[in-house]
């Protein structure tokens, strides 16, 4: 919201304060000043100059060489505007001037070989409008050399204030002035109304009926007859222009002026265009179309609150007037609407129509039901002053159920209790009174506060405490140097995931964070996705069902950047709908936390000490198993292996806890990768971290280091290629004596000498006993037995 | 006679050892003098032939010879070994070391961990809540009335009329208070979503840390104390700050905390929009209406709450100019932290 400092000064004396004082205090009491345009600063070097002569530039058709008198001397200036002519008074930027539009400085220059000592300005260069058709031509009576800050009244300061949604009262110059009156403890002067009314009575000319009293609690109307629609005077145009409004005509400008003065939105109807000279406020019964005064056709939903005349709709209540009844150059008689509409009703309509106006913005936040009469009279007064005409006597004011002021009691002790420091009673009284609240002492300890209707946000004691705190300044609240800590058990629900991050990153993985919003096909790869009702785009229309899509997109991006070797991980939530039924409760959806590990490219680069090595399935399995070991779940999880493909993987394995799947991964299929434009192998494993978190790991027990020597035996057998390592290992463990404690595969290979479809697997067996030294004989016996058993079972032969 | 032989051997040995220039030659010398059939060893056989009286004298002389030869031999051996190792086993210590895989946690995770650490040291617990939330927890129970413009403060992704992606971590406040009685002192980190255009300054999802403290004697002054302590630990003890009134439906009074812009030291720059201040968090005293939703007695209990965005804080702290970098997962970016 733009606020003009000069305009503010109409209601409060601020002349002794600097702009910085005002800005800082406003910001620090809750009306944040986001931007300041100080015209005195912006236009400080510009002066009025007189064009003495104009001649053609020798080297450029569209340029002129001008002699310009700046009040002291005559300068040669090059000008490109088509309208420059001798005798004009113009805005001149001498050398050194900073031009507001584009923020560049005027320098002495040669333009196509001719010297130029400054610039004659167009409106857009001064940010006064977007007009660049020609230079600004000023009133010829202005004296050359006069600063334009004086000549053009460019001496205001404009604040851009961010008003929070709880403060509708501050959405006007008077509203801001009221806060300043509390901050600086000085008087607020509201404009007085002096109305000359004719003998014709308003309620004999027009009438108002409210059919929807819930959504329109009050409708006041003032009638002005025989006005003359014309341009507004300079002062009014200037006021509106400063806050970025385009002047239209004297009547409309007055309504806009009052909206920004008092915060009360008004609308002026051409009374002669109102059928039956009647206003009826009612909601639409069915959908219909309506043309607003910006000539746009609006589709009104059912139950839209409308202003109607005897026959038809003439305005969308509180939002925008209709084309059919707007003020036009031939308007003679007008009806000024000053109403109070239900905030939710206006907000619903504004949302439905996607139409937000200065008016709807104020009504949906809560206008002041008590101000309607005053605002209508103020408008009538200004209109009669500016447009002539006579103000009909009296006001039509339909207000069936008066909205009363709230009364709240305030305990001084509660102020201290909440804020942590004491503010004197006098100060509290002063702050609240300056804000327009009426006070009555209840007793020594409390106060009865009557809240005016322009402060719908003040409903409770705590709201009064906020007013006191903010006006007195949050800076005055002390900063306590110590706190009490209670000694109940502390919880950290994120400890597990933090531990997991530490483990995985220590393996050499880099953590990713991907966007959980995905396209339907990405989310659909791994589950039944949940759709957004209002997505930004098709690429972000679903919640991810796994971390795979985001991970593969990150792989693709890195490949695009020329990075081919990757170890990536992510921890994040994934979402699924449990059925295709409507989502109606948390039971219909699942949200859980997953962990994904991704390997792609080379595990080892070619270096001076080793050959290059690519990631493969066993790299993945190694990391996965190291992880489960680190979180002490390795003994509780079982693996299942799948050598044939599923939707995602060419081959894969799963981790399971009590037959429940807690992780899956393997080599990602080529056709999945090609959808992500990935042309190298990718190995992925995804854990359900929420499930892992729930498993209680085995309690760790100390195992004494072995005191007696181990006996190691190796063997290599030739097997059919289809024999699986794990089957052999399990068979050995099953058949061996209790003394065999460890079986390890240390070599595996295939070649022609072994025979076709054959492979050699070499194992190391470790024997020991915790309580004695083993004899070579007992080990030898078991070892030989095992070899013969394996040979029989798997049709294997000892290697050479 | 023997003395002469001793001298002769001694002289011959000296000559040989001086000429020895390799371990191979040295080995020949060992065999010639000190081995079982070496000339020095053999001299000891002569002892047997010597008279009882001369034996100790000769023995002493022979021992001296052997010691002197052995000593010189050993020192020559050591010398030659050193120089041979040096020439044969030349080691280039300047070769690059073998690569160790480093890995790292995302910079946002690191920032969050730092924040968690500070608050945990002040006695805060850590709680979580769902990202897919109900309207009730995200808005209603936080005192956002239906059809109120306050809802426009946060552009929301909806699933349907009842469910949405949480726009802030504040719903976890409600969930935590529903689950326990005061005192409650907790932070609640997590991901939130906003239906905002993706560009260098905004993204559709980011992380927040929410904080909540409810007890019988909680004051705004304590809120300030706690947050100032946090900010000084996180940004440095010389930091300047201010608390500015603001509005959140679930706190009353509400504030935003600004710190001096550390890019320009408060002089005003592009990052701080020329104000000299950077907003780092929102906070306030828990609104009594919120206590109504969780059945806390708002006369008895007072609370404060705060919330901050991790991305924003991290952007500022590391001078990162584009928020999208956090979600690209470009390894050249990830490996910097």
């Amino acid at each position: 919201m733009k606020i003009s400092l000069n305009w503010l000064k109409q209601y409060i004396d601020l002349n002794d304060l600097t702009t910085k004082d005002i800005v800082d205090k406003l910001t620090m009491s809750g009306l944040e000043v986001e931007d300041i345009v100080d015209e005195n600063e912006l236009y400080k070097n510009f002066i009025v100059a007189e064009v003495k002569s104009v001649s053609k530039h020798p080297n450029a058709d569209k340029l002129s060489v001008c002699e310009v008198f700046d009040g002291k001397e005559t300068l040669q200036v090059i000008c490109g505007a088509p309208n420059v002519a001798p005798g004009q008074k113009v805005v001149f930027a001498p050398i050194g001037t900073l031009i507001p539009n584009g923020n560049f400085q005027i320098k002495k220059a040669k333009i196509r070989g001719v010297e130029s000592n400054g610039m004659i300005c167009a409106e857009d260069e001064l940010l006064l409008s977007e007009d660049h058709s020609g230079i600004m031509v000023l009133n010829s009576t202005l004296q050359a050399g006069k600063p334009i800050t004086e000549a053009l009244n460019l001496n205001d300061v404009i604040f851009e204030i961010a008003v929070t949604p709880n403060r509708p009262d501050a959405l006007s110059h008077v509203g801001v002035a009221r806060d300043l009156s509390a901050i600086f403890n000085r008087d607020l002067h509201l404009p007085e109304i002096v109305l000359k009314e004719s003998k014709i009575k308003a309620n004999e000319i027009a009438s108002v009926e409210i059919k929807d009293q819930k959504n329109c609690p009050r409708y006041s109307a003032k009638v002005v007859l025989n006005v003359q629609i014309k341009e507004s005077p300079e002062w009014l145009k200037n006021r509106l222009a400063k806050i970025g409004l385009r002047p239209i005509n004297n009547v409309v400008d007055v309504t806009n002026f009052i909206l920004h003065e008092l915060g009360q939105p008004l609308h002026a109807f051409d009374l002669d265009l109102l059928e039956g000279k009647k206003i009826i406020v009612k909601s639409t019964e069915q959908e219909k179309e309506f043309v607003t005064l910006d000539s746009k056709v609006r589709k009104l939903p059912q139950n839209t609150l409308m202003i109607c005349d005897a026959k038809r709709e003439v305005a969308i209540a509180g939002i925008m007037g209709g084309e059919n009844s707007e003020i036009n150059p031939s308007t003679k008689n007008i009806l000024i609407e000053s109403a109070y509409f239900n905030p939710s009703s206006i907000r619903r309509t504004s949302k439905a129509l996607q139409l937000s106006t200065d008016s709807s913005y104020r009504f949906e936040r809560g206008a002041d039901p008590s101000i309607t009469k005053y605002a209508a009279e103020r408008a009538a007064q200004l209109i009669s002053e500016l447009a002539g005409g006579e103000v009909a006597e009296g006001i039509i004011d339909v207000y069936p159920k008066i909205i009363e002021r709230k009364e709240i009691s305030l305990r001084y002790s509660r102020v201290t209790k909440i804020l942590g420091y004491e503010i004197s009673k006098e100060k509290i009284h002063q702050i609240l009174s300056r804000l327009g609240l009426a006070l009555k002492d209840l007793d020594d300890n409390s106060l009865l506060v009557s809240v005016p209707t322009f402060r719908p946000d003040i409903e409770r004691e705590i709201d009064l405490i906020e007013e006191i705190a903010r006006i007195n300044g949050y800076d005055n609240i002390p900063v306590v140097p110590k706190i009490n800590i209670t000694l109940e058990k502390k919880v950290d629900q994120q400890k597990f995931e933090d531990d997991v991050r530490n483990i995985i990153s220590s393996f050499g993985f880099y953590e990713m964070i991907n966007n959980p919003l995905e396209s339907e096909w990405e989310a659909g790869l791994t589950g039944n996705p949940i759709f957004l009702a209002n997505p930004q785009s098709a690429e972000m229309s679903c919640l991810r069902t796994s971390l795979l899509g985001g991970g593969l997109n990150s792989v693709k991006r890195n490949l695009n950047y020329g990075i081919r070797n990757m170890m990536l991980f992510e921890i994040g939530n994934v979402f699924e709908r449990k059925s295709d039924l409507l989502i109606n409760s948390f039971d219909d959806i699942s949200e859980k936390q997953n962990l994904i590990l991704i390997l792609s490219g080379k595990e080892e680069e070619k270096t001076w000490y080793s050959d290059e090595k690519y990631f493969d399935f066993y790299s993945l399995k190694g990391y996965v198993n190291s992880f489960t070991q680190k979180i002490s779940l390795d003994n509780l999880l079982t693996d299942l292996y799948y050598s044939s493909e599923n939707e995602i993987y060419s081959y894969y394995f799963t981790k399971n806890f009590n037959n429940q799947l807690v992780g899956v991964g393997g080599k990602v299929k080529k056709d999945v990768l090609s959808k992500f434009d990935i042309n190298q192998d990718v190995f992925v494993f995804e854990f359900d971290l929420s499930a892992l978190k729930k498993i209680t790991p085995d309690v760790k027990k100390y195992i004494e280091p072995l005191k007696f020597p181990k006996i190691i035996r190796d063997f290599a057998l030739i097997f059919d290629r289809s024999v699986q390592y794990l089957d052999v290992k399990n068979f050995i463990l099953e058949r061996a004596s209790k003394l065999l404690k460890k079986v390890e595969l240390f070599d595996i290979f295939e070649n022609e000498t072994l025979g076709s479809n054959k492979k050699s697997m070499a194992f190391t067996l470790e024997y020991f006993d915790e309580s004695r030294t083993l004899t070579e004989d007992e080990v030898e016996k078991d070892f030989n037995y095992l070899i013969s058993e394996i040979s029989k079972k798997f049709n294997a032969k000892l290697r050479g | 006679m023997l003395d002469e032989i001793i001298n002769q051997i001694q002289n011959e040995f000296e000559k040989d050892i001086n000429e020895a220039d390799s371990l191979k030659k040295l080995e020949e010398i060992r065999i010639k003098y000190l081995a079982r059939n070496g000339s020095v060893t053999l001299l000891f056989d002569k002892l047997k032939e010597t008279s009882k009286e001369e034996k100790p004298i000769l023995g002493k002389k022979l021992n001296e010879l052997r010691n002197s030869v052995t000593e010189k031999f050993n020192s020559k051996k050591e010398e030659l070994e050193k120089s041979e190792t040096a020439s044969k086993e030349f080691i280039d210590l300047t070769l690059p070391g073998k690569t160790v895989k480093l890995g790292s946690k995302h910079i946002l995770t690191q920032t969050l961990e730092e924040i968690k650490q500070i608050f945990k040291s002040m006695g805060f617990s850590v709680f979580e809540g769902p990202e897919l939330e109900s309207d009730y927890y995200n808005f209603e129970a936080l005192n956002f009335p239906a059809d109120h413009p306050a809802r426009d403060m946060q552009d929301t992704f909806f699933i349907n009329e009842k469910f949405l992606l949480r726009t802030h971590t504040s719903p976890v406040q409600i969930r935590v208070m529903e689950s326990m009685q005061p005192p409650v002192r907790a932070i609640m980190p997590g991901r939130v979503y906003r239906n905002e255009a993706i560009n260098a300054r905004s993204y559709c999802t980011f992380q927040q840390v929410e904080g909540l403290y409810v007890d019988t004697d909680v004051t705004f002054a304590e809120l300030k104390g706690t947050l100032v302590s946090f900010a000084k630990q996180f940004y440095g003890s010389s930091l300047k700050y201010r608390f500015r009134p603001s509005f959140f439906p679930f706190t009353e009074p509400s504030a935003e905390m600004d710190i001096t812009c550390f890019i320009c030291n408060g002089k005003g720059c592009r990052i701080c929009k020329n104000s000299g201040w950077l907003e780092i968090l929102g906070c306030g005293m828990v609104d009594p209406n919120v206590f109504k939703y969780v059945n806390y007695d708002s006369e008895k209990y007072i609370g404060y709450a705060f919330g901050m965005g991790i991305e924003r804080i991290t952007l500022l702290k590391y001078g990162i100019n584009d928020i999208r970098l956090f979600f690209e997962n470009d390894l050249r970016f990830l490996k910097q932290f």
Side-chain angles (χ1 to χ4, degrees), chain A residues 447-500:
Chain A
L447 192 64
L448 188 68
V449 181
S450 164
V451 184
T453 48
F454 61 76
R455 291 303 302 266
D457 59 317
I458 302 179
E459 297 179 301
R460 305 154 302 169
E461 186 181 46
I462 192 74
D463 301 319
L464 293 172
I465 295 173
E466 178 180 42
E467 294 303 304
I468 296 161
R470 74 176 178 91
I471 298 294
N472 203 44
Y474 284 4
D475 280 349
N476 286 321
I477 300 174
V479 175
V480 300
K482 61 180 177 184
I483 59 170
N484 294 318
I485 297 182
T486 45
L487 295 175
E488 81 281 359
K489 185 176 181 289
K490 298 291 182 276
V491 178
D492 185 351
Q493 291 186 336
Q494 292 190 329
K495 184 174 185 313
F496 182 68
E497 68 174 88
D498 288 348
D499 291 346
V500 170

Side-chain angles (χ1 to χ4, degrees), chain A residues 410-676:
Chain A
L410 173 74
R411 293 163 292 172
Y412 300 113
S413 61
R414 194 71 181 169
V415 178
T416 309
K417 174 111 178 148
I418 299 279
L419 300 181
Y421 79 120
E422 201 178 327
I423 304 175
S424 72
K425 285 183 190 176
E426 293 68 34
K427 188 78 194 174
I428 289 173
H429 291 194
Q430 178 202 308
I431 290 169
L432 296 179
S433 315
R434 285 295 187 194
L435 289 172
L437 283 64
L439 311 179
K440 201 167 89 187
D441 274 321
L442 279 178
D443 52 50
D444 281 355
N445 306 318
S446 53
L447 192 64
L448 188 68
V449 181
S450 164
V451 184
T453 48
F454 61 76
R455 291 303 302 266
D457 59 317
I458 302 179
E459 297 179 301
R460 305 154 302 169
E461 186 181 46
I462 192 74
D463 301 319
L464 293 172
I465 295 173
E466 178 180 42
E467 294 303 304
I468 296 161
R470 74 176 178 91
I471 298 294
N472 203 44
Y474 284 4
D475 280 349
N476 286 321
I477 300 174
V479 175
V480 300
K482 61 180 177 184
I483 59 170
N484 294 318
I485 297 182
T486 45
L487 295 175
E488 81 281 359
K489 185 176 181 289
K490 298 291 182 276
V491 178
D492 185 351
Q493 291 186 336
Q494 292 190 329
K495 184 174 185 313
F496 182 68
E497 68 174 88
D498 288 348
D499 291 346
V500 170
R501 277 196 184 86
N502 285 334
I503 293 166
I504 302 293
S505 61
S506 75
F507 289 164
F509 287 84
Y510 289 89
E511 187 183 12
M512 308 177 280
I513 296 181
N514 284 293
N515 185 351
L517 302 179
E518 294 184 341
S519 66
E520 184 179 355
W521 75 263
E522 286 166 320
L525 274 177
T526 44
N528 188 5
I530 296 168
F531 287 82
L532 299 183
N534 56 336
Q536 280 183 14
S537 64
E539 287 73 44
M540 289 170 32
S541 56
C542 290
L543 280 160
R544 63 185 172 197
T545 56
S546 88
L547 302 176
L548 184 73
L552 290 180
N553 278 318
S554 286
V555 170
K556 174 177 72 183
R557 267 195 299 276
N558 277 294
L559 289 174
N560 290 345
Y561 298 142
I563 300 159
R564 311 203 72 84
N565 307 326
M566 289 166 245
M567 292 177 77
L568 297 168
F569 81 103
E570 181 171 17
I571 291 176
N573 288 13
V574 300
F575 309 82
E576 263 196 277
R577 53 195 306 168
K578 289 186 182 159
S579 74
D580 285 329
L581 298 173
L582 223 61
I583 297 169
N584 200 34
S585 82
F586 282 103
D587 295 334
D588 300 329
I589 46 181
S590 96
E591 176 175 347
K592 54 182 188 168
Q593 190 178 50
N594 275 13
L595 159 71
I596 194 170
L597 304 179
I598 297 180
L599 299 172
S600 189
K602 288 176 199 163
E603 185 159 22
E604 301 276 1
E605 288 279 10
K606 168 86 187 81
T607 58
W608 64 272
Y609 57 86
S610 92
D611 286 336
E612 66 177 20
K613 216 170 94 193
Y614 282 85
F615 284 116
D616 59 19
F617 177 82
Y618 304 102
S619 319
L620 179 73
K621 192 173 169 187
Y623 285 118
V624 166
N625 287 338
S626 303
F627 166 64
T628 56
Q629 200 178 337
K630 272 282 192 184
I631 57 171
S632 307
L633 294 182
D634 48 330
N635 292 326
L636 299 172
L637 302 182
T638 48
D639 294 356
L640 291 174
Y641 298 94
Y642 302 86
S643 51
S644 53
E645 65 171 36
N646 69 2
E647 277 114 359
I648 306 294
Y649 301 106
S650 305
Y651 45 82
Y652 60 103
F653 75 118
T654 61
K655 290 275 176 191
N656 304 274
F657 177 70
N658 289 342
N659 297 322
Q660 182 208 346
L661 186 74
V662 295
V664 58
K667 183 181 179 184
V668 183
K669 267 165 47 176
K670 285 236 154 52
D671 59 332
V672 172
L673 293 178
S674 67
K675 286 182 189 163
F676 290 87

Side-chain angles (χ1 to χ4, degrees), chain B residues 254-272:
Chain B
S254 304
E256 279 172 321
M257 183 181 183
D258 298 338
I259 60 170
T260 319
C261 177
F262 38 71
I263 313 286
C264 63
N265 274 321
K267 289 188 197 86
C269 66
R270 194 180 53 85
I271 303 293
C272 62

Side-chain angles (χ1 to χ4, degrees), chain B residues 227-243 257-262 277-278 280:
Chain B
L227 292 177
V228 168
S229 167
F230 159 74
K232 288 192 169 178
Q233 291 182 63
F234 190 81
Y235 292 102
S237 52
S238 61
L239 144 137
K240 288 199 192 100
Y241 59 86
R242 67 178 190 186
F243 285 80
M257 183 181 183
D258 298 338
I259 60 170
T260 319
C261 177
F262 38 71
W277 294 99
L278 292 172
I280 56 159

Side-chain angles (χ1 to χ4, degrees), chain A residues 27-30 32 164-166 344 347-348 351 364-365 411 414 417-420 460-463 465-466 469-470 474-480 483-486 488-494 497-498 501-502 505-517 530-536 540 543-544 554 557-558 561 563 565-570 573 575 583-586 589 591 593 603-604 608-609 615 623 693, chain B residues 95-99 101-106 108-109 113 116 120-128 130-134 147-153 156-160 162-163 165 175 183 185 189 191 193-198 203-205 207 213 215-222 224-226 228 241-247 252-256 285 287-289 298-299 302 326-332 334-335:
Chain A
T27 295
M28 292 307 284
S29 61
E32 189 188 357
T164 52
N166 59 324
S344 336
R347 179 174 153 87
R348 273 197 304 275
K351 284 239 135 180
E364 70 177 13
R365 279 161 176 71
R411 293 163 292 172
R414 194 71 181 169
K417 174 111 178 148
I418 299 279
L419 300 181
R460 305 154 302 169
E461 186 181 46
I462 192 74
D463 301 319
I465 295 173
E466 178 180 42
R470 74 176 178 91
Y474 284 4
D475 280 349
N476 286 321
I477 300 174
V479 175
V480 300
I483 59 170
N484 294 318
I485 297 182
T486 45
E488 81 281 359
K489 185 176 181 289
K490 298 291 182 276
V491 178
D492 185 351
Q493 291 186 336
Q494 292 190 329
E497 68 174 88
D498 288 348
R501 277 196 184 86
N502 285 334
S505 61
S506 75
F507 289 164
F509 287 84
Y510 289 89
E511 187 183 12
M512 308 177 280
I513 296 181
N514 284 293
N515 185 351
L517 302 179
I530 296 168
F531 287 82
L532 299 183
N534 56 336
Q536 280 183 14
M540 289 170 32
L543 280 160
R544 63 185 172 197
S554 286
R557 267 195 299 276
N558 277 294
Y561 298 142
I563 300 159
N565 307 326
M566 289 166 245
M567 292 177 77
L568 297 168
F569 81 103
E570 181 171 17
N573 288 13
F575 309 82
I583 297 169
N584 200 34
S585 82
F586 282 103
I589 46 181
E591 176 175 347
Q593 190 178 50
E603 185 159 22
E604 301 276 1
W608 64 272
Y609 57 86
F615 284 116
Y623 285 118
K693 195 174 175 175
Chain B
L95 283 176
K98 297 186 181 179
T99 309
K101 294 202 177 84
L102 292 177
S104 76
K105 288 177 274 189
H106 198 282
L108 294 174
T109 302
E113 281 182 352
K116 281 201 275 196
K120 280 167 85 169
S121 76
M122 294 195 267
F124 284 77
S125 285
V126 181
F127 287 98
E128 286 185 318
E131 293 170 18
L132 202 166
E133 258 300 1
S134 64
D147 292 323
H148 194 274
R151 290 196 174 204
D152 291 345
M153 292 165 82
T156 310
F157 282 119
F158 293 97
I159 302 300
N160 56 34
K162 227 166 146 184
F163 287 93
L165 298 182
R175 291 178 173 274
R185 196 196 297 260
R191 174 187 297 285
Y193 299 79
R194 299 278 171 92
N195 194 349
E196 282 171 10
I198 296 178
Y203 201 74
C204 57
T205 170
Q207 295 181 67
Y213 176 41
D215 207 338
T216 48
D217 292 297
V218 181
T219 65
F220 202 128
E222 177 166 346
K224 277 181 77 174
T226 305
V228 168
Y241 59 86
R242 67 178 190 186
F243 285 80
R244 192 163 38 73
S246 186
F247 168 70
E252 184 84 347
S254 304
E256 279 172 321
M285 306 305 289
D287 194 289
N289 283 356
S298 62
E299 261 307 293
I302 300 174
F326 291 136
F327 308 100
E328 291 251 306
N329 304 310
D330 178 348
L331 275 158
R332 294 167 302 179
L334 298 179
K335 286 184 176 179

Side-chain angles (χ1 to χ4, degrees), chain A residues 39 91 102 153 239 257 287 312 453 489 497 511 571 685 719 800:
Chain A
E39 293 180 341
V91 175
N153 268 326
R239 281 272 185 264
F257 173 83
E287 286 185 25
R312 52 176 190 168
T453 48
K489 185 176 181 289
E497 68 174 88
E511 187 183 12
I571 291 176
F685 200 91
F719 294 87

